[in-house]
Amino acid sequence: MSQPIILYDTPSKVPGNAFSGNMLKARRVAQYTLAYKGLAFKSVWVELPDVEERMKAIGAKPTGRRPDGSDFYSLPTIQDPSTGATVSDSFAIAEYLDKTYPSTPAVFPPSTKALISVFDSALMNTIGPVFPVMAVVAAPKLYPRTEEYLKRQLEIRMSAKWEDISPVGPKREEGWKNIKAAFGVIDGWYSKSGGKWIMGDTFSYADVIVAAWMRSFSVLFDKEQWEDMKSWNGGRWGGIVEDINRYSILD
Amino acid sequence: MSQPIILYDTPSKVPGNAFSGNMLKARRVAQYTLAYKGLAFKSVWVELPDVEERMKAIGAKPTGRRPDGSDFYSLPTIQDPSTGATVSDSFAIAEYLDKTYPSTPAVFPPSTKALISVFDSALMNTIGPVFPVMAVVAAPKLYPRTEEYLKRQLEIRMSAKWEDISPVGPKREEGWKNIKAAFGVIDGWYSKSGGKWIMGDTFSYADVIVAAWMRSFSVLFDKEQWEDMKSWNGGRWGGIVEDINRYSILD
């Protein structure tokens, strides 16, 4: 590989911590996959409202459809100058990198791709209910255009006004309890693995996703909130963030 | 192993096809796990209303709690005369057998226990919505005491009268569409595996669970319904049942 891979990503105001609404976890997953593999990359920042135009311009494929049937484009997307490939979606990016750079550590151990893809969905279903609380806490840390875009999108998806999504008080407290319950479910998964990672002693894409979420929580929530989270489940989450932070990422 | 393992199981009127309500899939999973490993076993039949008393008598552990907080006992349960062990819950039975009989083919390839347990939950969540339709179609095939017990349990769980759960007509048709959609999700998982099984070319407990469901569908639904199912997703489900039928089970 002669030139670094280009990672299209979304910026935020928080120093060292970008944020992209719904793509929050996905962008970190791409970063950590690249970093874990030791592949050089450089980030190109695209604000959310500009994603579609920019992705079309570089010939990226849509990653889904909007409710109205139109194409939906999302970040992260990579461009690999060494092969000319453009790949969107963090799972597809990891698959591409495992295949294209077989001498780097694999994030999909042999024969685990389907199981890990089911894990990915199950994790999203488990973490999903905590997203509204997180979005409300994190929104003020975004660039104004991205913040407005995220607010509008979330209001549509939740069929609620922004200020009603997770107001301080009983609703926020209930949200916090839901987060703790979700963490408990994920902790139960780890406890079955017989080791530190979801595949026991083998680090995999499943851990990359969990770590991506946890790292995001560690920077998006307030300090006391993250301190609380770190105390849950025997300190598992703080440990995972500490481990993933060994792989330095540019953000 | 000098003596066959005893498998506590629930009988039905359907020749060669026992049925145990909620434990439908779990009992077949235990059967196929034993058969795949080539371990000799004999079935002991316990009707649903007698499960709790019988399990307490042999010192089996409860597998969960009822909404009122009391212990809940379920089948399948095995007793292994060679070790004196009594194990309930199909996942725990498979774990026990892999560990106790390491020279038999493993159903958990190394480091996959947590991933497969998440798969187990995800499959249950995906198949779950089809259970009411299945229960209504299957109920007349049960022994009277078991049928009554199942009906009462399902009415409580669904907060609905038995005849309203899946009546013939639009509601049944909608149920059928949901089944087809659920199969589509599972087919999507398989398509990511790069092989015939969830772990590519490696058969695992994940396939045992899927096969257990499919085999149950093949005998519980009417012939035309199963013919329809077999035509879905490129004939994947008929193929899986054909494969699993190679392992003869006593039921």
Side-chain angles (χ1 to χ4, degrees), chain B residues 58-78:
Chain B
I58 64 166
K61 284 182 194 151
T63 52
R65 283 176 188 275
R66 292 206 180 78
D68 68 5
S70 64
D71 284 338
F72 174 76
Y73 293 82
S74 67
L75 300 183
T77 292
I78 60 163

Side-chain angles (χ1 to χ4, degrees), chain B residues 87 95 108 133 135 141 169-171 180 208 215:
Chain B
V87 187
E95 284 183 300
F108 295 110
V133 185
K141 302 175 182 175
K171 199 162 183 181
K180 192 168 184 176
V208 176
R215 164 78 183 243

Side-chain angles (χ1 to χ4, degrees), chain A residues 91 95 110-119 121-122 189-190 192-193 198-202 204 206, chain B residues 91 95 110-119 121-122 189-190 192-193 198-202 204 206:
Chain A
F91 196 96
E95 283 183 301
S111 309
T112 60
K113 216 173 272 180
L115 282 177
I116 291 178
S117 112
V118 174
F119 179 92
S121 305
W189 298 343
Y190 272 94
K192 274 214 180 295
S193 81
I198 284 291
M199 296 195 66
D201 299 328
T202 307
S204 75
Chain B
F91 196 96
E95 284 183 300
S111 311
T112 60
K113 216 173 273 178
L115 281 177
I116 291 179
S117 113
V118 174
F119 179 92
S121 305
W189 298 342
Y190 272 94
K192 274 213 179 295
S193 81
I198 284 293
M199 295 194 66
D201 299 328
T202 307
S204 75

Side-chain angles (χ1 to χ4, degrees), chain B residues 166-179:
Chain B
S166 180
V168 173
K171 199 162 183 181
R172 178 74 58 87
E173 281 160 32
E174 194 198 326
W176 194 249
K177 271 185 207 153
N178 291 342
I179 298 178

